[in-house]
Amino acid sequence: MRRVSILGATGSIGQNTLDLIARAPDDYSVVALTGAGNIPQLAADARRLRAEIAVTAYEDRLEDLRAALAGSGVEAAAGPQAVIEAASRPADWVMSAIVGAAGLAPGLAALQQGGTLALANKESLVCAGPLMLRTARQHGARILPVDSEHSAIFQALVGEDTAAVERIVITASGGAFRDWPIEDLGHATLDQASSHPNWDMGQRITIDSASMFNKAMEIIETWEFFGIDPARIEVIVHPESLIHALVGFRDGALMAHVGPPDMRHAIGYALHWPERRSLPVARLDLAQIGGLTFRAPCDARWPALRLAREVMMAGGLSGAVFNAAKETALDGFIAGRVGFTQMAPVVEEVLTRLSDTARGATEITLDNVARVDHLSRETASAVIAEKAG
Ligand code: NDP
Ligand code: MG
């Protein structure tokens, strides 16, 4: 039996992961499940899958969680430190699916156990890619990508010489507003931005898909994880979301990964790697699909893509600044304080104001990332207040 833990079990990726695990209950022993506000889901899953421990990140929800788990024999704990401790429990395979920079410290704790970390939390790589990879190396742990594009790249590279890679192309659906006139984007509402044409995901990544901040994060994720020169990473808009990424080799071949937009594929690949096991995802009927379309991304519509390039050029802790500013701008959009098209200018302004800080602290440690993350959120809040005033 493989010992597995799911960080962010109550979210979209977490629930898809549990769906796969629950189909083969004899193969897995569930160590820890973590969540935040959704106590009923967390407790129900912990009972159903007989987890050793369930943890909510919210300190003040401990009593609720205890009550929901009463009589089940499942341990309960609460608070960010308890999430880290849960991630530190010995497990063979840990899913990192907390949303935001909050996923970094638990992911690192899991890597220190030396097992396999299935990484959905792209923010960890954007904030602290070198730290994640270094920690994995030091502890003999393995990181397997779960983001669909990165899983696709990883799969296209199996058996290949990475020196023969000429370019990596990641696809973008274009999100909710890909066909809107640019001048209407300023009026986009939260509801409109929260509905994705192809993928069913958490609210934050869905909005990030509409603004392309998600793709911006993924360019940085590709750079950090695969160690490829930024100039060799391309983005193509592919509205059908059936090709997830392509790897171009020096002989001109492009290897594409094609599959339905269902995260259970990438999660299942990371769960069963290096084997391929049968997965409950739809099989594509190519004749029925008929055709696949592509268009170049438009910088005026999606300024986040340009910002990602600037972040990679600047290096250091710029990724941590970028992510924290983006998270704060997104909080502002969700709260109705920041317009849809104001998010990128807020992030850009924070990157400008903190450019020396980001470049200065070259060593990427958890403390330095946490400090810069905090400063970037404060700066972003100040920028938002100035723009509103
Ligand atoms: P969701 O918002 O659906 O789920 C987020 C999870 O994190 C929930 O379990 C939530 O708990 C928990 N959580 C929220 N805040 C905190 C916190 N401060 N500390 C600890 N846990 C917290 O997100 P997704 O599942 O969509 O995304 C998860 C990660 O995977 C993100 O990094 C995202 O970018 C990445 N990803 C997601 C994809 C998708 O298809 N959804 C695709 C590719 C990558 P609760 O719900 O109980 O409050
Ligand atoms: Mg993705």
Side-chain angles (χ1 to χ4, degrees):
M1 284 237 274
R2 288 174 80 200
R3 289 170 59 83
V4 299
S5 289
I6 293 98
L7 314 175
T10 47
S12 163
I13 292 286
Q15 290 290 297
N16 277 311
T17 308
L18 293 185
D19 175 77
L20 294 180
I21 285 172
R23 287 167 191 262
D26 296 339
D27 293 354
Y28 305 102
S29 150
V30 176
V31 180
L33 297 182
T34 83
N38 193 347
I39 303 293
Q41 187 72 54
L42 179 61
D45 288 332
R47 280 177 184 274
R48 178 168 68 101
L49 296 161
R50 301 174 193 284
E52 287 174 18
I53 185 168
V55 185
T56 162
Y58 297 157
E59 218 116 34
D60 59 356
R61 299 300 302 276
L62 181 58
E63 285 318 312
D64 295 342
L65 181 59
R66 281 207 177 117
L69 288 171
S72 65
V74 180
E75 262 179 80
Q81 196 54 41
V83 174
I84 293 172
E85 280 165 23
S88 305
R89 292 202 174 196
D92 304 305
W93 189 89
V94 178
M95 166 55 77
S96 167
I98 290 171
V99 67
L104 173 60
L108 286 170
L111 285 174
Q112 284 162 1
Q113 301 313 306
T116 295
L117 186 72
L119 187 68
N121 179 266
K122 63 192 83 184
E123 295 88 344
S124 336
L125 282 175
V126 173
C127 294
L131 174 61
M132 291 288 289
L133 299 186
R134 192 169 74 225
T135 305
R137 252 194 328 271
Q138 282 168 350
H139 296 273
R142 182 182 298 280
I143 302 176
L144 294 176
V146 171
D147 211 347
S148 57
E149 297 75 6
H150 305 77
S151 173
I153 297 163
F154 190 78
Q155 294 181 47
L157 286 172
V158 170
E160 299 288 353
D161 176 2
T162 49
V165 174
E166 207 168 55
R167 59 180 174 145
I168 289 179
V169 185
I170 56 178
T171 57
S173 68
F177 307 137
R178 66 178 173 227
D179 298 319
W180 279 35
I182 293 188
E183 53 280 12
D184 290 351
L185 292 177
H187 307 292
T189 66
L190 179 59
D191 269 0
Q192 290 165 330
S194 302
S195 113
H196 197 285
N198 306 336
W199 293 92
D200 180 12
M201 310 185 286
Q203 186 189 36
R204 297 182 73 90
I205 184 173
T206 301
I207 300 168
D208 283 349
S209 297
S211 63
M212 280 282 186
F213 267 111
N214 181 49
K215 211 50 56 181
M217 304 272 289
E218 290 179 356
I219 297 173
I220 301 171
E221 187 184 5
T222 305
W223 172 60
E224 294 285 13
F225 190 77
F226 295 101
I228 181 169
D229 178 6
R232 294 171 183 268
I233 305 171
E234 299 169 20
V235 172
I236 188 88
V237 177
H238 167 47
E240 295 84 9
S241 293
L242 296 176
I243 296 183
H244 304 302
L246 308 96
V247 177
F249 295 92
R250 61 184 168 209
D251 59 357
L254 265 179
M255 303 289 278
H257 181 284
V258 190
D262 183 334
M263 284 309 294
R264 290 177 305 174
H265 171 76
I267 296 167
Y269 186 79
L271 183 61
H272 303 308
W273 182 91
E275 283 176 48
R276 274 191 195 275
R277 293 206 191 155
S278 175
L279 290 173
V281 300
R283 272 45 176 176
L284 295 180
D285 179 341
L286 295 176
Q288 197 191 11
I289 291 162
L292 299 176
T293 59
F294 305 95
R295 22 178 145 141
C298 163
D299 273 1
R301 180 183 294 276
W302 294 304
L305 297 177
R306 172 178 54 81
L307 296 180
R309 304 266 170 209
E310 292 174 9
V311 165
M312 293 185 291
M313 287 272 284
L317 285 163
S318 305
V321 174
F322 178 72
N323 179 68
K326 190 278 290 178
E327 288 194 31
T328 309
L330 177 58
D331 291 339
F333 176 68
I334 292 172
R337 286 194 310 272
V338 176
F340 184 76
T341 48
Q342 283 309 302
M343 288 190 282
V346 167
V347 174
E348 183 160 21
E349 179 62 22
V350 176
L351 282 167
T352 304
R353 290 192 194 178
L354 298 184
S355 59
D356 289 343
T357 313
R359 254 198 304 269
T362 43
E363 217 203 330
I364 302 188
T365 61
L366 189 54
D367 283 351
N368 279 343
V369 171
R371 189 175 47 75
V372 163
D373 178 277
H374 182 73
L375 179 64
S376 307
R377 284 172 204 265
E378 274 184 358
T379 309
S381 298
V383 170
I384 290 167
E386 285 166 28
K387 284 186 187 284

